[in-house]
């Protein structure tokens, strides 16, 4: 799936369901000498909404993404469509926020370094200074912005400023143990990705492994979701579980949970980076 | 694991943790010329409770389970132990309760018929008449005891009477869509096994697949648990999940869920039938 | 996914990769007043082959599938396309072949009866008489056609005749413990679905659970595949595994394996019945 | 699982099956004022061999492991038992061997640093210099010992020397892309742990992901096993799989496989470090 000098695009769109959507869109693509190499499509029958994701190979010479998008706009307008076209070769910029647990961060940094997860990483921001050494070893700027109980608002404003400096396309909360304030959720709507260390909606909030041990469940899990104003209730991107037994202590669960948290976050983040997710109400359509 | 004419026993016990438990118990077993072929053991450090399950091969001649148990009683008394010794060859008697969904029942009947699940089945009881033909094909008595909204108490009393006639060791609610009254839960404490069609504690109560679809989870599950007075909150025996996607309808989930419900119920029931479960507070210790 | 009186079609096609395939196909569909409700698409870069599967909702009045197909033919011809268009409401006809193990058969019959697996079942054929009662309870004709060691050819010819009488769209080997002769494989190419009780390519041939126990694997599996001339080497449709431990006997594995065999076969068969599989060389493209 | 100043021991043993083993062993333990907190036990009926693993809490004062072991020896002698008693607080020493793939190494180093995997790490040895920086960041000595095609014997002798300097209890081949010579396998019998990137016995040898892609399997896996003279045929400790689809390239499989390789190796290594594995012929009994 490499590119040479041709451009690969992703088109992600939704609109009211109506006849001829695919014909109009694919007709336009063919006219431009481009071709569709991957297609995902879903029709929600209750809301009569149509969702699509195309990967498009464009001609190797004389192609302009701006002209292509401009031309597509007139098609999309006739369909009253929400859409975006992105150049696959342009990596998204991320800001990663962490507290003191290092496993998700270490995982993302390693996968980023070897090229398994394609993103730019202008900044890691933390309310603690604990993980500075790890981050700086990878050559990434690390910013310690404390969140003080007595003035959380000030802490989040400073954090928001640091985020803004990084100009991220998306924000990853890689075990950031602070509840994101509503105004920040709204500002980066459907662009803040959290990993919660339980199988939601079980065990919302603090200390989910303690809650799991208390309830005596036989599987523990992790959930990657977009952050919304309501705690741990945003659209779910990805989930997974692992088996536990009566003799697993909370510490064992925390250890076992790390692998699940890492892989669920990485899968969810990859879906986001590859524009595979369309949010529909409080649910995620994932063209995996 | 065949028997010839020797007797295989299971010893299941718990007591306060103290030195020498294993030595005393295994010493007694050795004295009787018997030997331990499987051992499960767990020590709960918070409650200082010790749990054990032994499978014991006894001598082929001159062995009496009554004498063995009588002798063991004096050991157990010194340890202030809760215990039971069962003869593996004696199958437990079950009463199965169902409503109209047939998949769990069909699964249990098939596995019972081919000898995969060892139990006696004196009776299937239902608040509907729908599954009579299926049950009677297997040669099992089927009792239709309706539960009428306007007099549930009468319905449950008639049901309890039918259960009593069957004299079951355990009761299986194989998708019995009625809430068991507290007095019946108490009467058969830790002997009523339910299959709930969600990954508990997510989606307690009615229509869990509808709840799952509404929340947009990426895995659906099933939970086998002992029934207690609080709805869907009893000790969890076994759980499992299967993957769903945005394009799965509630009907798809119900279809996919059947396999999970069946296998989770069968695993949980097997643990119960093989005396592998010790209930400790609201949790199950399962020597699987 | 209900139908009212409109017709839902499936278009399954492959051709050499070239620009404008989607535009031509979807353009034609739009012209006919129909719309694409599900789309699966794959491009194999090595062989430069394009594969597609569309689900198409047609207009409620004045629609003729014959006219639609006739018109599509001229588009397809310009693309040198292999294709078929099927009416979703027309169930495929199956012939199921079994020997003496009943679990896969019992599973398929139950799922068929409750409408979870949509097919017509004109005939169950077996080289033993063991499962007659089960099959006839479901009101399905049962044919016992023995395969005698001393004249297998005659047995298979009689079997082929019985299959032909059933005029099946596909044949399911639901634990049919006979090696299908090459001439039968060829006659029903990519239409004979087998369930093999191992994770292929591990443990080809006879007694895979014995082989698994001998090797000491920690997971056992099952594989659903199309039958070809080479034993257990045909295109793989679906696979799954379950965990085993050192204390699981071969008998335990056989018991645990049943659930995996059933669910893997049912998933694979469903893919086939819903025209989700395109065979490419020795591999299956599955638009799941 | 905390220690205070008492000593926790592990007793691992096997002998011919005979009456009274548990009684004798647990009787001795009780006599010494110690108690059994975890018990694993297995009886192989074909070879009439008995296997056991006990975790033993010893008295807080006046306890000597040497005296305890000395006393146990006379019991063990009467049973003709193979046995070892280890002090849980004494971490095993590992030598890790790698080539150029860094994921398993990075995973082990991270888990080691945060205390999730308890071992001493005197040395990482590699036939390449690629991973030096990573290893040295963790403060671990890194030794580059090339294995040259034209004189592999010399390379392995130098490697063996470096291993000997580290005096390891076990050797981990964390994607060491060299076939261990028989004399080294024999020298460290059942102490060399390999991670193979396929679900064995499928895809033995080189490039298993290429083999998996070629065969069109629907799950890929990893296997942790002890290294023996026959390539990828040693006793299997642990295995797991992950799902792949027709559109996964070999590169995708390699990326997806990393998580499985890491977690399977970590689980297998943990079993080894906690003395949970008893090798019996070519199989592993794992008291997990």
């Amino acid at each position: 799936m490499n590119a040479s000098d041709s451009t690969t695009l992703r088109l992600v769109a939704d609109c009211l369901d109506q006849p001829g959507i695919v014909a109009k869109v694919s007709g336009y693509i063919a006219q431009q000498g481009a071709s569709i190499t991957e297609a995902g499509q879903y029709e929600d029958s209750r809301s009569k909404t149509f969702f699509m994701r195309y990967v498009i190979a464009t001609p190797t010479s004389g192609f302009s993404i701006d002209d292509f998008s401009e031309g597509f706009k007139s098609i999309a307008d006739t369909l009253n469509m929400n859409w975006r076209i992105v150049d696959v070769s342009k990596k998204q910029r991320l800001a990663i926020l962490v507290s003191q647990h290092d496993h998700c961060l270490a995982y993302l940094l390693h996968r980023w370094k070897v090229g398994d997860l394609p993103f730019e990483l202008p900044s890691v921001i933390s309310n603690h200074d604990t993980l500075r050494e790890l981050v700086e070893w990878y050559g990434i700027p690390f910013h310690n912005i404390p969140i003080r109980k007595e003035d959380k608002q000030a802490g989040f404003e400073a954090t928001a400023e640091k985020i803004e400096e990084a100009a991220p396309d998306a924000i990853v909360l890689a075990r950031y143990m602070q509840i994101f304030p509503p105004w920040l959720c709204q500002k980066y709507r459907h662009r803040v990705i959290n990993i919660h260390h339980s199988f939601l909606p079980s065990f919302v909030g603090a200390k989910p492994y303690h809650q799991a041990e208390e309830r005596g469940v036989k599987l523990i899990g992790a959930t990657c979701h977009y952050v919304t104003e309501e705690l741990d209730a945003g659209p779910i991107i990805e989930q997974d579980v692992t088996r536990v037994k009566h003799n697993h202590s909370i510490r064992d669960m925390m250890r076992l949970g790390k692998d699940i948290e890492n892989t669920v976050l990485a899968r969810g983040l990859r879906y986001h980076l590859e524009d595979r997710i369309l949010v529909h109400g409080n649910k995620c359509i994932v063209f995996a």
Side-chain angles (χ1 to χ4, degrees), chain A:
Chain A
M1 298 205 190
N2 64 345
S4 71
D5 48 85
S6 90
T7 308
T8 303
L9 306 177
R10 283 188 206 114
L11 164 64
V12 178
D14 64 85
C15 61
L16 258 189
D17 203 9
Q18 54 198 289
I21 302 171
V22 176
K24 282 183 191 171
V25 172
S26 63
Y28 174 75
I29 292 165
Q31 269 170 28
Q32 307 303 309
S35 66
I36 302 164
T37 59
E38 257 185 85
Q41 198 172 306
Y42 175 64
E43 186 201 343
D44 182 64
S45 53
R46 269 174 296 189
S47 64
K48 307 284 176 206
T49 317
F50 180 89
F51 301 87
M52 70 192 308
R53 174 187 183 268
Y54 279 0
V55 178
I56 301 165
T58 66
T60 45
S61 67
F63 179 82
S64 148
I65 184 168
D66 290 339
D67 293 351
F68 185 90
S69 298
E70 184 64 26
F72 185 75
K73 192 179 176 301
S74 39
I75 308 287
D77 284 351
T78 68
L79 295 162
N80 206 12
M81 193 177 244
N82 304 306
W83 62 279
R84 67 178 190 279
I85 289 172
V86 301
D87 180 341
V88 167
S89 67
K90 270 204 185 149
K91 291 181 187 172
Q92 288 196 35
R93 293 169 65 85
L94 292 191
I96 298 180
L97 273 68
V98 290
S99 290
Q100 293 181 291
H101 290 287
D102 66 352
H103 56 280
C104 286
L105 180 65
Y107 186 94
L108 293 181
L109 289 172
H110 179 255
R111 288 306 180 103
W112 165 79
K113 197 191 175 199
V114 299
D116 281 344
L117 277 172
F119 54 77
E120 303 286 328
L121 187 52
S123 168
V124 173
I125 299 165
S126 179
N127 57 331
H128 292 272
D129 208 49
T130 321
L131 304 178
R132 176 181 297 280
E133 197 195 4
L134 174 66
V135 172
E136 293 183 345
W137 189 71
Y138 283 94
I140 305 291
F142 178 89
H143 307 285
N144 175 15
I145 315 281
I147 306 288
R148 293 199 174 77
K149 259 187 211 167
E150 55 283 6
D151 193 358
K152 291 212 166 195
Q153 176 67 9
F156 281 118
E157 277 167 13
T159 301
E161 214 167 289
K162 265 295 167 231
I163 293 174
E164 218 158 312
E165 281 174 22
D169 296 298
I171 297 165
V172 177
L173 308 186
R175 299 294 303 271
Y176 182 64
M177 310 307 278
Q178 294 288 331
I179 296 172
F180 237 45
W183 57 274
L184 259 175
C185 296
Q186 282 154 19
K187 181 166 182 184
Y188 296 97
R189 190 162 178 73
H190 301 161
R191 297 197 287 146
V192 184
I193 295 163
N194 185 45
I195 181 72
H196 183 74
H197 38 313
S198 85
F199 182 83
L200 291 175
S202 291
F203 313 134
V204 163
K207 296 191 179 287
Y209 292 128
H210 290 72
Q211 295 182 53
E213 198 270 348
E214 175 69 22
R215 179 62 187 91
V217 290
K218 297 302 184 186
L219 299 166
I220 54 170
T223 302
C224 179
H225 65 98
Y226 288 118
V227 174
T228 57
E229 291 83 342
E230 191 184 342
L231 183 63
D232 297 332
I236 293 172
I237 301 169
E238 176 62 341
Q239 304 187 287
D240 216 338
V241 294
T242 195
R243 200 157 275 278
V244 290
K245 293 194 297 183
H246 60 268
N247 58 350
H248 281 115
S249 65
I250 290 169
R251 234 196 110 187
D252 291 330
M253 288 185 185
M254 292 170 78
R255 177 174 53 72
L256 288 166
K258 286 178 184 180
D259 290 320
I260 300 295
E261 293 170 42
N262 287 348
T263 52
V264 167
L265 174 56
R267 283 205 299 266
L269 178 56
R270 174 179 304 279
Y271 294 150
H272 184 91
L273 295 173
E274 296 180 351
D275 299 292
R276 293 183 181 277
I277 311 172
L278 286 91
V279 180
H280 179 44
N282 201 41
K283 292 197 254 181
C284 288
I285 293 155
V286 181
F287 292 118

